[in-house]
Amino acid sequence: MHAAFIEQLGSPDVIRYGELPAPRPGPSDVLVDVAATTVNPVDTFVRSGVFRTPLDFPFVISRDLVGTVAETGGDVRGFAPGQLVWCNSLGHGGRQGAAAERAVVPADRLYPLPDGVDPRTAVAVVHPAATAYLGLFTHGRLRAGETVVVAGGAGNVGGALVALAAWAGARVIATARPGDFEHCRALGAAEVVDYRAEDQWERIRAAAPDGVDVYTDTSGRNDLARAVGTLAVRGRVVVLAGSGSRPTLPAGELYMKDGSVVGFVISRARVAELAEAADVINTLLAGGLLRPRATEVLPLAAAGEVHRRMERGELNARRVILRPAGAAPAR
């Protein structure tokens, strides 16, 4: 089969496109004909070695896929050949990735694609949406009626954070550029603040006079000194980006508010947590409440160039969908 893979850690230049032996499923695995995959920031972390994880070379890159069940292992129940499915947790933890014509997926990490959902829409949103769900609910403990700040609400993860929080009955304050205000409001934000404004923190506090219950920042800047200042009593800051950030933590103020700061990276999510997120993601996909802002479809052979574009900051909120050569559009 053809695949995008690496034989060593390094820059995007180490990504190769060529033939590898086709994988075979074990007793608890499902073999999937891959219709499409994507590129996420975390994929670049694995490829470069920033995020250390067990892997075997040659190593097929990428985490997400949508495709069709080709074959199931003898112990697998609930999946059948021809069924449309998705996964967003390959390509780390000793699992080969999704950037290939075929991929082996552990059955407990594979989910059915709801009827009527466009596969390209699904593959573009499942990873950002799972990140948003786990950040908000598993780690942020967000409840209906609470107030959440989404710093960077117009991006991929930011948009999913806004949509999921609004769906759950929270009041959402998003930060964005003025040109993205309407997009954030369409996703469910009650208030939108210009993150470039000198008085953005005053505006956030004015929009949440009783304090913020959950604060998230998709930019990775993690200005904890100011974020903690916005918190309500028992408010939570969820750190979900910024592997190189070294912010100052106002521990005394956090202590007096009975607040907390929790770090979260989706690569450490448990199988049960991912499955819980998948149930909600499927509900919102079926209802048309999760959608990518912009997509671009390229052949799988372009994986290396897409990694370069992502690391140069050229993609912004655009999601690149990679299709294996000859892959039939999943329907």
Side-chain angles (χ1 to χ4, degrees):
M1 68 172 185
H2 286 87
F5 61 93
I6 61 175
E7 296 177 297
Q8 64 185 50
L9 300 177
S11 73
D13 293 338
V14 303
I15 296 175
R16 301 286 181 262
Y17 177 76
E19 289 193 11
L20 291 178
R24 294 296 306 155
S28 59
D29 297 328
V30 177
L31 182 65
V32 177
D33 287 324
V34 178
T37 183
T38 56
V39 178
N40 301 293
V42 70
D43 298 328
T44 71
F45 300 159
V46 171
R47 184 217 72 233
S48 65
V50 169
F51 181 81
R52 292 291 180 173
T53 185
L55 49 84
D56 293 322
F57 297 118
F59 175 73
V60 177
I61 61 175
S62 293
R63 299 204 173 189
D64 313 336
L65 66 76
V66 64
T68 305
V69 174
E71 183 181 342
T72 62
D75 296 339
V76 174
R77 301 293 181 270
F79 293 104
Q83 183 179 6
L84 284 172
V85 290
W86 63 270
C87 174
N88 64 344
S89 59
L90 294 182
H92 70 106
R95 293 176 294 280
Q96 290 284 337
E101 293 176 320
R102 283 192 157 186
V104 166
V105 185
D108 58 2
R109 293 176 178 269
L110 190 67
Y111 318 109
L113 187 68
D115 292 340
V117 173
D118 175 51
R120 291 183 182 178
T121 295
V123 79
V125 303
V126 292
H127 198 79
T131 301
Y133 178 90
L134 295 169
L136 287 172
F137 304 108
T138 304
H139 298 276
R141 309 187 308 280
L142 182 67
R143 299 184 294 273
E146 291 191 322
T147 296
V148 56
V149 167
V150 178
N156 293 309
V157 174
L161 286 163
V162 173
L164 280 160
W167 167 81
R171 179 170 176 267
V172 182
I173 302 168
T175 73
R177 298 179 301 175
D180 292 327
F181 280 16
E182 287 306 312
H183 175 69
C184 292
R185 291 190 181 106
L187 293 172
E191 305 278 350
V192 189
V193 173
D194 185 351
Y195 62 67
R196 297 177 300 182
E198 292 183 2
D199 62 345
Q200 70 156 312
W201 295 98
E202 289 77 8
R203 295 185 187 189
I204 291 172
R205 285 191 288 270
D210 295 325
V212 172
D213 298 293
V214 177
Y215 184 96
T216 64
D217 180 359
T218 65
S219 74
R221 286 187 287 270
N222 298 317
D223 189 343
L224 297 184
R226 288 175 170 162
V228 169
T230 71
L231 293 183
V233 172
R234 296 199 173 181
R236 290 84 71 193
V237 176
V238 180
V239 178
L240 46 71
S243 61
S245 68
R246 297 292 185 271
T248 298
L249 174 67
E253 187 176 7
L254 187 71
Y255 155 68
M256 294 302 291
K257 288 186 173 183
D258 202 9
S260 62
V261 176
V262 59
F264 156 60
V265 59
I266 193 171
S267 298
R268 304 198 189 281
R270 298 168 181 166
V271 169
E273 292 170 342
L274 290 169
E276 180 181 295
D279 285 343
V280 173
I281 290 168
N282 273 347
T283 296
L284 270 64
L285 280 172
L289 299 178
L290 286 175
R291 56 193 181 276
R293 188 170 184 184
T295 59
E296 178 182 351
V297 181
L298 294 173
L300 185 57
E305 180 55 31
V306 177
H307 274 238
R308 291 186 193 93
R309 291 170 61 194
M310 176 165 282
E311 292 187 336
R312 290 196 297 255
E314 297 175 1
L315 297 181
N316 297 317
R318 178 179 295 274
R319 293 288 280 161
V320 177
I321 299 166
L322 299 175
R323 291 193 57 216
R331 299 187 184 277

